[in-house]
């Protein structure tokens, strides 16, 4: 039996939830040794952002397509709220350890190879958020937001990978500050310089930003 209904009121067996659950947007693929790791949204897991890699196909590379596996298992969620929209929520050390910003508390964690439980790198208190993670030697360089009753500050900070800052905010070393907004810290190939983008309120990034470069000392200062 055919039923004529006004536009927008058609009954469909395909729901919005079914469409959303079938998607798994991916971004930020990087090489880790001979593997590619990426960030993948999991709508069926409440929108969790998981770091994933290709599974072992049991044979020659390219001979078959293996199902991806989680590097970062549930319920961990690699998502940052810096600038509210986030970005750059994970990085990998030279040893293959995963560093990420956990969405629920915005702390930085490291999941070391062979371990199943991440360990915190930054304090629980302090109102900190971290993004745009980059690893340099024994430190993680990140954009940090400091939320407090006095307002909001941003800088580029160095976080030790040995966990010495997990209970000590003073162990977080500020590298660059003085701007309302900072973003995209990047090292030169030889590690001797750091570049970043800075801009001031009330400008939006498309209104006016500055590309700045600074020398990095042997001690990382």
């Amino acid at each position: 039996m055919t039923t004529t209904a006004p536009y927008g009121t058609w009954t469909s067996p395909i729901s919005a939830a079914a469409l959303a659950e079938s998607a798994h947007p991916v971004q930020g693929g990087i090489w880790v040794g001979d593997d590619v790791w990426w960030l993948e949204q999991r709508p069926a897991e409440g929108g969790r952002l998981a770091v994933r890699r290709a599974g072992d196909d049991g044979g020659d590379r390219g001979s078959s397509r293996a199902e991806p596996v989680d590097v970062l298992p549930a319920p961990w969620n690699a998502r940052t709220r810096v600038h509210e929209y986030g970005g750059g929520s994970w990085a990998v050390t030279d040893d293959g350890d995963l560093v990420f910003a956990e969405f629920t508390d915005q702390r930085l964690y490291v999941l070391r190879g062979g371990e199943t439980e991440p360990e915190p790198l930054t304090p629980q208190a302090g109102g900190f958020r971290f993004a745009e993670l980059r690893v340099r030697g024994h430190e993680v360089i990140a954009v940090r937001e400091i939320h407090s009753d006095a307002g909001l500050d941003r800088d580029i900070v160095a976080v030790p990978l040995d966990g010495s800052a997990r209970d000590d905010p003073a162990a977080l070393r500020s590298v660059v500050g003085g701007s309302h907004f900072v973003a995209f810290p990047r090292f030169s190939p030889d590690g001797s310089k750091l570049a970043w983008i800075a801009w001031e309120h009330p400008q939006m990034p498309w209104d006016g930003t500055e590309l700045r470069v600074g020398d990095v000392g042997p001690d990382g200062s």
Side-chain angles (χ1 to χ4, degrees):
M1 180 177 179
T2 301
T3 301
T4 301
Y7 290 109
T9 65
W10 300 334
T11 300
S12 172
I14 304 174
S15 67
L19 285 173
E21 288 178 358
S22 66
H24 50 92
V26 299
Q27 58 182 294
I30 64 170
W31 286 104
V32 179
D34 293 330
D35 294 323
V36 176
W37 294 13
W38 65 90
L39 192 67
E40 181 174 322
Q41 189 171 30
R42 312 294 294 161
E45 299 176 30
R48 182 176 79 93
L49 291 176
V51 179
R52 311 194 83 200
R53 64 169 179 82
D56 185 3
D57 58 18
D60 295 334
R61 290 187 180 278
S63 62
S64 63
R65 187 169 182 175
E67 285 296 316
V69 297
D70 286 356
V71 177
L72 183 65
W76 298 96
N77 188 354
R79 181 179 175 186
T80 173
R81 292 186 59 190
V82 168
H83 297 146
E84 296 306 329
Y85 48 78
S89 62
W90 64 288
V92 182
T93 71
D94 293 339
D95 295 328
D97 298 333
L98 174 65
V99 181
F100 67 98
E102 163 59 30
F103 182 63
T104 56
D105 59 10
Q106 293 298 295
R107 299 173 78 183
L108 289 188
Y109 288 79
V110 59
L111 180 60
R112 305 191 191 276
E115 300 293 331
T116 58
E117 190 73 11
E119 59 184 80
L121 295 177
T122 56
Q124 179 82 46
F128 299 140
R129 299 177 183 180
F130 302 91
E132 292 294 339
L133 310 184
R134 288 292 181 275
V135 175
R136 181 182 187 271
H138 61 282
E139 295 179 320
V140 181
I141 305 299
V143 172
R144 174 177 63 171
E145 285 186 347
I146 306 173
H147 293 253
S148 67
D149 293 339
L152 172 62
D153 292 306
R154 294 183 180 91
D155 63 355
I156 295 174
V157 67
V159 180
L161 279 167
D162 63 5
S164 58
R166 70 170 60 98
D167 298 313
D168 182 12
L172 302 173
R173 180 169 52 84
S174 183
V175 178
V176 169
S179 301
H180 285 122
F181 296 93
V182 289
F184 313 124
R186 299 291 187 274
F187 286 101
S188 61
D190 64 0
S192 66
K193 295 182 183 297
L194 179 70
W196 69 96
I197 296 293
W199 71 99
E200 304 298 336
H201 181 79
Q203 289 179 316
M204 300 298 283
W206 51 84
D207 293 324
T209 61
E210 295 179 354
L211 171 60
R212 297 181 175 178
V213 180
D215 293 325
V216 179
D219 61 349
S221 60

